[in-house]
Amino acid sequence: MPYMNHIFCKLIRKGELDAIQIDHPLFHATLLLQGAQLIEFSPQKNDFNNLLWLSKSVEYKQGKPLRGGIPICWPWFGNLEKNPDNIQQQVKSEHRSAHGIVRDIPWHIGSIKESCESVIVELEVQSNESTLNIWPFDFSLVARFTFSQTLTLELITENTGKECFAFSQALHTYLPTNDITQTYIHNADQAQYIDALDDWKEKVQQGRVVFNQETDRLYFLKNNSKSEQFELRVESPGQQLTLTTKSSRSAVIWNPWIEKSQRLSQFSAEDYKSMYCIESANVMSDHKTVAPEQKNSIFLQLEL
Ligand code: TA6
């Protein structure tokens, strides 16, 4: 465990994994080095309760994805077979696990900057022999977390190789709710979406998003919007939350509901009642391509 000379940050162990524990006057946070997975962000504005949902049966095991917080899905989101052909064709081996190759491998600390107002942590990972065996492209990723009373996460992709590559990505944010049936996601009215549970048919959102069945949808910004930024406002019992995404025209909204909950790891039969996911993404037609030495960023902000 490398020595850490900081005021608010210390290195701790969670099961088999190293983590940065941050105890700041304005917030607490727990950031795993594996996958650069944030599993806790507890701002003072939320009475130092975790703004993120984390499974009670989470397993801190090396090389095993954890259910909760913000898993980083890169260089493909979800089921590889459902990605655009140019992304599928880049994957060399029979490696077909969901959500790419970086959420269950070790990242390392790039930098930590502390102040009275915030803490900025950069975690990094670069291509290596094992990633090249699956996905033959040289890359460098930086996950930049800015913690204060709000949370921002920027995922920066750099193509450090000699050929272009295409990728899809998602910041797979798990959020808690006191009652999923009283949880509403606003600002998606009339947005187009792909329904992953209805043969990937294209549909149009009517009004606010409600949860009354298994929900697994890839939303796309209304075509007339020029910005690559959008806000989703979430209303749940006792909470109003705003999730802002930049450099993205897509977002995934997911709740496994009753039947799928039985098939999920690190997930109890009742957990669907107290969680949902809103994933800031670049998926399907919104996937990205980077040329050698080019960078791409996707950015989310969570604010009460
Ligand atoms: O983001 C939605 C989704 O793709 C769902 O289909 C479900 O598989 C979820 O991600 C969780 O995936 P995981 O591999 O973490 O169990």
Side-chain angles (χ1 to χ4, degrees):
M1 294 259 277
Y3 177 70
M4 189 185 267
N5 175 21
H6 294 284
I7 299 166
F8 305 122
C9 301
K10 64 176 184 283
L11 266 183
I12 62 168
R13 285 290 275 187
K14 300 283 287 184
E16 298 173 11
L17 304 178
D18 287 338
I20 300 173
Q21 177 67 43
I22 309 177
D23 294 311
H24 186 281
L26 296 176
F27 68 90
H28 301 312
T30 309
L31 176 55
L32 298 174
L33 296 197
Q34 176 170 282
Q37 188 166 350
L38 184 66
I39 57 171
E40 182 216 0
F41 173 62
S42 308
Q44 186 183 45
K45 276 168 80 172
N46 200 39
D47 299 329
F48 293 105
N49 295 311
N50 195 357
L51 210 49
L52 304 173
W53 183 87
L54 182 67
S55 167
K56 292 183 187 60
S57 54
V58 72
E59 295 169 23
Y60 298 100
K61 291 195 176 348
Q62 281 192 15
K64 190 178 175 95
L66 285 85
R67 181 123 6 245
I70 309 180
I72 292 177
C73 307
W74 189 96
W76 67 84
F77 162 77
N79 179 342
L80 182 61
E81 275 67 39
K82 290 294 184 188
N83 273 263
D85 288 346
N86 59 335
I87 291 179
Q88 292 189 47
Q89 284 150 17
Q90 290 175 161
V91 181
K92 230 168 62 173
S93 75
E94 68 298 330
H95 178 102
R96 288 282 186 256
S97 63
H99 297 322
I101 59 176
V102 298
R103 65 171 172 162
D104 51 13
I105 64 173
W107 293 45
H108 55 270
I109 299 172
S111 65
I112 295 178
K113 295 188 183 71
E114 298 180 315
S115 76
C116 300
E117 295 74 36
S118 69
V119 173
I120 302 172
V121 179
E122 289 193 354
L123 298 186
E124 302 173 353
V125 70
Q126 287 81 27
S127 45
N128 56 44
E129 192 181 338
S130 69
T131 66
L132 288 165
N133 283 337
I134 300 164
W135 196 69
F137 299 93
D138 282 310
F139 65 86
S140 171
L141 286 185
V142 173
R144 179 180 297 143
F145 297 85
T146 304
F147 301 104
S148 60
Q149 287 275 20
T150 60
L151 165 71
T152 70
L153 167 54
E154 183 177 11
L155 180 65
I156 304 158
T157 294
E158 181 176 4
N159 182 341
T160 54
K162 302 216 177 322
E163 45 185 326
C164 291
F165 61 72
F167 63 103
S168 58
Q169 59 187 346
L171 306 175
H172 197 298
T173 305
Y174 283 78
L175 295 162
T177 176
N178 291 324
D179 182 346
I180 191 64
T181 65
Q182 306 291 319
T183 298
Y184 308 105
I185 300 177
H186 301 278
N187 305 358
D189 182 28
Q190 301 309 308
Q192 292 178 336
Y193 68 90
I194 293 172
D195 188 340
L197 301 171
D198 185 6
D199 204 20
W200 289 67
K201 287 193 186 96
E202 293 191 1
K203 300 179 180 177
V204 176
Q205 179 60 37
Q206 301 305 326
R208 62 191 186 180
V209 178
V210 299
F211 294 98
N212 50 30
Q213 59 185 331
E214 183 178 355
T215 305
D216 197 345
R217 300 175 182 175
L218 291 73
Y219 281 86
F220 298 88
L221 259 186
K222 285 172 254 171
N223 294 335
N224 58 3
S225 95
K226 294 281 172 281
S227 74
E228 284 224 313
Q229 171 174 333
F230 66 99
E231 254 181 35
L232 290 172
R233 187 170 57 79
V234 184
E235 180 192 357
S236 65
Q239 188 179 73
Q240 298 268 348
L241 186 72
T242 302
L243 186 141
T244 305
T245 298
K246 288 181 188 160
S247 309
S248 148
R249 289 179 172 277
S250 47
V252 181
I253 293 179
W254 176 61
N255 181 287
W257 214 247
I258 300 166
E259 197 275 323
K260 176 137 190 190
S261 293
Q262 320 287 331
R263 293 183 276 124
L264 284 176
S265 62
Q266 303 175 62
F267 202 80
S268 83
E270 300 298 300
D271 280 342
Y272 75 94
K273 296 177 180 173
S274 57
M275 59 65 71
Y276 59 98
C277 284
I278 305 184
E279 305 154 36
S280 315
N282 290 119
V283 293
M284 308 305 281
S285 59
D286 185 35
H287 74 273
K288 297 292 180 184
T289 303
V290 276
E293 294 173 29
Q294 233 190 6
K295 289 185 179 180
N296 164 276
S297 263
I298 183 169
F299 179 100
L300 84 80
Q301 176 178 283
L302 265 186
E303 186 166 19
L304 278 178

